[in-house]
Amino acid sequence: MKVLITGATGLVGNELVTLLLKNGLHINYLTISEDKLQNEAHYKGFLWNPDKGIIDERSIEDVDAIIHLAGASIAKRWTQSYKQEILESRVLSTNVLYSLLKNHPNKVSHFISASAIGIYPDSLDKVYPEDSTDVDNSFLGKVVEKWEEAVDQISSLNIKVSKVRTGLVLSGRGGALREMARPVRLGLGAAFGSGKQLQSWIHVQDLVNIYSFIVQRGLEGTYNAVAPYPVSNDVLIGGIAKVLGKPYFLPKIPRFVMSAMLGEMHMLLFSSQNVSAKKILGAGYQFKFLSLEKALKDNLC
Ligand SMILES: NC(=O)c1ccc[n+]([C@@H]2O[C@H](COP(=O)([O-])OP(=O)(O)OC[C@H]3O[C@@H](n4cnc5c(N)ncnc54)[C@H](OP(=O)(O)O)[C@@H]3O)[C@@H](O)[C@H]2O)c1
């Protein structure tokens, strides 16, 4: 099987490439950075520029499935122009892939896109399955809604479409966990706000296993990619401190402090999503990391 991956050089993409190559798949990938191009027997890079609608058409030759992970990081200050980039890097890149699939002969039968649990409204008690139609009334909620709409148009080409609504990815190599662990390592760990907000996390290994599970079984539709047991922010930061052998006694950090420091992006630390993993479990996926402590130890120790 040959798979085309976008965002293959990012946090999730790197792990996914390693896993799929180990499983014997052949990979093409699209990158916006010329210096990330490689040309190996089963791992070939091609350039694209979604802003300008440019894509190397050779990238879909003999490809059976596309895994679309590309998007500008949400972990940078949300200025007006950067917010535009967060949205456009996802929607325009999807549109470029749609146009290529529509206008260029190919044998792609499955399109799998990253998505995010940020689409679900902020709630302390509601549990969100995939068929929930509520969309969070925030910048991120709207980004995910537009991103998924762009992805859905690909089903009009008679291609199976899957969306992987991803929770907080725990990886020792970067992303949110490394940032959260930084103050804790200095003995300065503290929860945010009430600390009660729920964090639906997933170990990066489980996330890439889920992508592999979906692509190899040809599963269609939307899947939440979160471990079955979300935890509160208090438990998460306390868990990081425990695993690192650091104290955890400081008062919680009020919202206004983080709002002053991070601007609108502070909502990432305060919003609460209790997301259901039942659908992917029902499809037969078995999580490697069900316990937060085990996931933290694996990534931090
Ligand atoms: N990590 C999380 O906690 C999390 C949670 C929910 C959802 N997700 C979603 O999962 C996907 C993968 O996440 P990740 O953590 O691996 O992201 P990442 O490390 O930031 O990597 C994303 C990749 O997208 C490409 N990219 C960056 N800016 C771009 C732009 N302006 N236009 C087109 N491509 C661009 C880059 O690859 P090249 O330089 O090779 O082009 C980059 O390596 C993302 O879409 C993200 O929104 C992640």
Side-chain angles (χ1 to χ4, degrees):
M1 182 183 235
K2 193 175 204 175
V3 177
L4 171 65
I5 305 181
T6 74
T9 63
L11 184 75
V12 177
N14 253 307
E15 301 280 351
L16 182 61
V17 165
T18 306
L19 175 71
L20 296 185
L21 287 176
K22 203 171 87 191
N23 290 350
L25 277 73
H26 296 190
I27 295 173
N28 284 355
Y29 66 96
L30 283 161
T31 177
I32 57 172
S33 322
E34 207 162 342
D35 58 345
K36 292 187 189 166
L37 281 178
Q38 289 185 45
N39 189 356
E40 289 167 21
H42 301 314
Y43 182 63
K44 290 190 196 312
F46 299 86
L47 278 176
W48 70 333
N49 184 331
D51 289 347
K52 294 189 175 154
I54 296 171
I55 187 164
D56 189 332
E57 295 171 352
R58 295 169 302 170
S59 61
I60 55 163
E61 272 170 24
D62 297 326
V63 163
D64 304 289
I66 297 179
I67 301 181
H68 180 34
L69 305 174
S73 167
I74 58 163
K76 283 192 199 164
R77 200 169 178 94
W78 294 357
T79 59
Q80 272 316 317
S81 66
Y82 194 64
K83 279 164 85 170
Q84 191 74 7
E85 191 174 336
I86 289 176
L87 176 67
E88 288 187 351
S89 61
R90 290 171 171 80
V91 173
L92 297 184
S93 60
T94 309
N95 290 345
V96 170
L97 291 165
Y98 169 78
S99 298
L100 181 65
L101 290 167
K102 188 169 176 207
N103 300 317
H104 196 80
N106 67 83
K107 59 172 204 143
V108 173
S109 61
H110 197 178
F111 187 92
I112 301 160
S113 178
S115 180
I117 62 166
I119 196 166
Y120 299 121
D122 182 353
S123 168
L124 280 177
D125 45 27
K126 207 162 167 193
V127 180
Y128 287 103
E130 290 81 349
D131 57 6
S132 156
T133 52
D134 302 340
V135 174
D136 191 43
N137 187 24
S138 65
F139 165 65
L140 270 196
K142 287 175 192 142
V143 166
V144 182
E145 187 180 31
K146 294 208 170 96
W147 184 13
E148 289 201 355
E149 278 168 14
V151 170
D152 284 338
Q153 67 183 328
I154 288 169
S155 58
S156 70
L157 304 175
N158 260 332
I159 292 174
K160 274 190 286 187
V161 168
S162 314
K163 288 166 284 186
V164 181
R165 288 185 179 157
T166 306
L168 176 72
V169 177
L170 300 184
S171 161
R173 300 220 168 113
L177 180 61
R178 197 160 68 185
E179 297 311 314
M180 287 187 290
R182 219 185 281 275
V184 180
R185 286 185 198 278
L186 300 171
L188 299 172
F192 296 103
S194 70
K196 289 184 184 157
Q197 63 276 32
L198 288 162
Q199 317 256 222
S200 291
W201 59 274
I202 183 163
H203 190 299
V204 68
Q205 281 308 322
D206 273 317
L207 177 58
V208 298
N209 286 343
I210 286 175
Y211 275 108
S212 168
F213 186 82
I214 288 175
V215 73
Q216 303 218 37
R217 292 177 188 225
L219 293 185
E220 196 169 4
T222 305
Y223 288 88
N224 291 333
V226 293
Y229 308 111
V231 296
S232 68
N233 178 257
D234 195 20
V235 168
L236 177 61
I237 308 286
I240 295 172
K242 186 174 168 209
V243 163
L244 293 175
K246 295 291 178 183
Y248 181 57
F249 58 87
L250 290 175
K252 298 185 173 59
I253 305 170
R255 185 182 270 263
F256 75 88
V257 173
M258 295 316 293
S259 170
M261 281 173 68
L262 302 176
E264 191 179 350
M265 190 177 86
H266 81 281
M267 58 88 61
L268 292 174
L269 307 170
F270 291 83
S271 73
S272 178
Q273 272 108 9
N274 187 350
V275 175
S276 168
K278 276 192 184 145
K279 188 171 171 190
I280 192 72
L281 285 166
Y285 180 72
Q286 293 185 342
F287 280 85
K288 194 169 168 207
F289 294 92
L290 289 165
S291 127
L292 175 70
E293 189 169 348
K294 194 173 150 203
L296 291 176
K297 278 188 179 149
D298 188 64
N299 281 310
L300 295 174
C301 296

